Amino acid sequence: MKRRDFIRMMGGMAVVTAGFAAMPPSIRKALAIGAHVRTGTIDDVQHVVILMQENRSFDHYFGSLRGVRGFKDRFPIPTVTGKPVWHQSNGQKEIQPFHLDATTMNAALVASMPHTFPDAQAAWDQGRMSEWTRYKTDASMGYYTRQEAPFQYALADAFTLCDAYHCSLHASTGPNRIVFWSGSNHDPLLRNRGINTDERSAEVLNLRTAISGTLPSPGYQYQGDPFLWPTIPELLESAGVSWKIYQDPNENWNGLMHGALASPSFRQAKPGSPYYEKGMRPYSVNDLRDDVLADRLPSVSWVLPTPLKSEHPGAPSSAAQGGNFVEQVLAALTANAEVWSKTVFFLCFDENDGFFDHVPPPAVPSVYPDGSLAGKSTMDVAGMYFVADTDKHLHPQDHAAGNIRPWGLGPRVPMYVVSPWSRGGWVNSQVFDHTSVGMFLEKRFGIEIPAISDWHRSISGDLTSAFDFADPNNTPWDALPDMSDYALIELHAKTMPKAAPPAEPQPLSQEPGVRLSRALPYALDVRLAQRDGAVVLAFENTGKQGAVLHVYDRRHPAQLPRRYTVEAGAWLEDDHWKPTGEDMGRYHLEVHGPAGFYREFRGHLAERGEVEVELLHDDDSAIGLAVRQPGEGELPVEIIANAYIDGGPWKRVITAATEFRQLWPSREQGHWYDFTVRGPGFEQRMAGRIETGRPSISDPAMA
């Protein structure tokens, strides 16, 4: 690709964002210092600092950011009406995503929305995701642009943003933070025996981390029985790895920010004990800065915000005030350039509040009322379900599929990876969730978190793919805007009308351009065959990471989508779709997977001949297709390039003795592909990206 074309498509990534005031010189100087490279591996990381903010979805913050899976997603899932997922019903009318425009409404201080387990389950609707606004309010479809979240966008442009990081379940703060701090929100001993959990052995509401009282006197009072599996701080303590929590223990949202409070080790901690001194004493951002300056920053640190600094809508916090708090944390971490050169800073969000996100979360298959599964798995998923009390845990209008509910993942939430090894405005599209941070700590410090399930380990990555440990010091970074005026932004917002959807739907927009994209561990394929009056799908995973593939029946969109967990190196086959009488032999299936993977199959059983379509690729330079007919007679077929490649269609008549094979150069478009193969009675579309083990770019056709 010519350099001028590459720069144009990148949207000027290497240019400092125009119009933004830079952060103080000391911060810019520290950010410019390269990574400490001794081994060229993860072992060069000496400090991991973790900040979990509150209640924002990925689409709400970054649906309009260039180069991520946002509002220009080329393959949104269908709703029960057959329309794209952007069309959400509130029971009376459709509400589509709308811009929370700071020039016309109070966009900064939006209200919080329903975000408990019952309404979250109902909005997800086992993957049908068609009536989000019925359960989350119309305001849930509001989103920001760079104008309303300048710090957040600039931070993403400077470092690495993960656009497939999910919260761990469809629920509120407490359950998600318990996963984040321990690896699970339900008893892993029962799960490992294949026993589904209920409220006695699982957390779905804000119960076990919600406290009353203050420290040191009269002390915390707790609700609910504690969980007995070890938290991450306990595992670090046992392994002799230093750790610390920087917080105000009396302004941590009544304990909800501190997911380890469900553990008896913290509940019973007394002054002088390691869990009290490191995990329940007050330590401020100033203390964090002092520890950095004195080169005594622990190996693992957590920073807990106060409600006003947490970005929680209705706190009342804002993107501006949250950005200012992150500025303070970054200023503390970069006060000593030598320490920062060895530090990884993870900044994520616990859950989505009520805000909409359009990507279907990976999950184990739903359970039909008769006990059968809507999908399959190559691994045993017994025990990966919650037995809900219908009166307590499910919305009265939630009739999706009985009371046996899959554990997450939940909706996407923002995750920034900020470090000297992740500079340069990258996007990482590997599937992650709250267990991924724990798996990163396992990888770096040699601990083992037993509560993380085998399913999570198969589906969610350990975040190491977000870094370049071998050669990290060749990437430019952008300046970050100063958010110290957050109070003025909020004061002005209070003078504006309440945020509300427009009378007429707005066209969805996303910034043009692509981003540098990290290499991913996926190599997936789906094939269709015809057998006994039905179509049969086979799922293949030759990659290094497991994946969940979602199948939607476009002829019967009200049916539950089927989900298929396919482990790395595994093959799953023989699941049937038999057309009904009204279909008259016709079928139409869509398959959605991670990182833009998409397959579409449509046709007529009576007309379709046996056809095999194989995706070909040279890892470095070419992508192609091979079309074969194992049956008798002649079969006219054509290949259509829907994007990335000029020319076509390419037509050929094939027989059992011939093969239609075509190759195209792929390097210039970052190895992205989108082809349709068409013939009598069948049509198959294949789209995605071939992974070469090297960095690439985000989808150019989405740019």
Side-chain angles (χ1 to χ4, degrees), residues 628-698:
R628 293 179 286 269
Q629 182 200 192
E632 299 294 329
E634 297 182 339
L635 183 69
V637 296
E638 65 176 345
I639 298 175
I640 301 166
N642 302 303
Y644 315 116
I645 297 167
D646 296 328
W650 296 268
K651 300 181 179 181
R652 190 76 55 84
V653 175
I654 59 175
T655 67
T658 62
E659 178 184 78
F660 185 4
R661 179 180 289 256
Q662 185 80 32
L663 292 171
W664 298 268
S666 63
R667 188 180 300 171
E668 290 187 359
Q669 69 266 21
H671 305 287
W672 289 87
Y673 64 91
D674 184 356
F675 299 108
T676 295
V677 179
R678 182 182 297 159
F682 76 92
E683 182 177 306
Q684 178 174 335
R685 188 171 183 178
M686 314 169 72
R689 188 177 83 179
I690 296 296
E691 296 299 329
T692 66
R694 291 178 294 278
S696 182
I697 56 174
S698 60

Side-chain angles (χ1 to χ4, degrees), residues 145-156:
T145 67
R146 190 178 292 272
Q147 174 183 350
E148 291 78 28
F151 181 85
Q152 286 76 6
Y153 274 59
L155 192 62

Side-chain angles (χ1 to χ4, degrees), residues 56-63 144 149 152-153 311 319 349 414 416:
R56 305 283 178 164
S57 77
F58 188 89
D59 274 348
H60 165 64
Y61 260 10
F62 292 117
Y144 290 156
Q152 286 76 6
Y153 274 59
E311 298 179 57
F349 288 73
Y416 316 80

Side-chain angles (χ1 to χ4, degrees), residues 127-184:
R128 287 179 292 200
M129 290 174 58
S130 301
E131 296 184 315
W132 195 274
T133 51
R134 177 193 289 268
Y135 303 102
K136 300 291 191 178
T137 78
D138 294 353
S140 64
M141 304 301 286
Y143 66 86
Y144 290 156
T145 67
R146 190 178 292 272
Q147 174 183 350
E148 291 78 28
F151 181 85
Q152 286 76 6
Y153 274 59
L155 192 62
D157 286 343
F159 293 98
T160 294
L161 183 68
C162 300
D163 70 350
Y165 185 101
H166 295 254
C167 61
S168 290
L169 68 154
H170 300 273
S172 51
T173 289
N176 275 288
R177 287 188 179 251
I178 288 175
V179 176
F180 192 64
W181 287 73
S182 73
S184 180

Side-chain angles (χ1 to χ4, degrees), residues 496-534:
M496 306 294 284
K498 181 180 178 180
E504 296 296 329
Q506 300 170 341
L508 285 174
S509 64
Q510 189 170 348
E511 296 174 343
V514 300
R515 306 178 84 77
L516 293 172
S517 175
R518 291 295 185 192
L520 302 175
Y522 299 118
L524 303 168
D525 198 11
V526 182
R527 299 182 183 181
L528 180 142
Q530 178 178 331
R531 189 182 307 153
D532 300 326

Side-chain angles (χ1 to χ4, degrees), residues 73-110:
D73 189 343
R74 301 180 64 237
F75 303 108
I77 64 171
T79 66
V80 296
T81 66
K83 294 181 179 179
V85 71
W86 315 116
H87 298 259
Q88 291 294 315
S89 171
N90 65 10
Q92 297 178 331
K93 63 178 181 179
E94 288 182 352
I95 305 295
Q96 297 182 37
F98 65 94
H99 178 200
L100 290 164
D101 190 340
T103 65
T104 62
M105 64 181 73
N106 183 352
L109 296 169
V110 292

Side-chain angles (χ1 to χ4, degrees), residues 410-543:
R412 291 186 305 168
V413 292
M415 161 61 98
Y416 316 80
V417 180
V418 184
S419 80
W421 297 275
S422 55
R423 296 174 297 169
W426 293 82
V427 63
N428 186 298
S429 298
Q430 186 175 357
V431 170
F432 303 117
D433 83 303
H434 293 334
T435 67
S436 298
V437 175
M439 286 189 272
F440 183 89
L441 298 178
E442 287 182 326
K443 193 91 170 182
R444 172 56 190 91
F445 297 110
I447 63 172
E448 180 182 352
I449 305 172
I452 299 177
S453 75
D454 290 342
W455 183 86
H456 284 84
R457 293 185 183 278
S458 175
I459 298 305
S460 294
D462 60 14
L463 285 163
T464 55
S465 65
F467 300 89
D468 180 358
F469 292 119
D471 187 22
N473 294 325
N474 278 329
T475 306
W477 55 273
D478 291 348
L480 300 177
D482 183 358
M483 297 308 299
S484 60
D485 61 346
Y486 70 86
L488 292 176
I489 294 173
E490 293 182 357
L491 185 63
H492 174 70
K494 292 176 182 178
T495 69
M496 306 294 284
K498 181 180 178 180
E504 296 296 329
Q506 300 170 341
L508 285 174
S509 64
Q510 189 170 348
E511 296 174 343
V514 300
R515 306 178 84 77
L516 293 172
S517 175
R518 291 295 185 192
L520 302 175
Y522 299 118
L524 303 168
D525 198 11
V526 182
R527 299 182 183 181
L528 180 142
Q530 178 178 331
R531 189 182 307 153
D532 300 326
V535 293
V536 181
L537 292 186
F539 306 87
E540 183 180 20
N541 184 351
T542 57

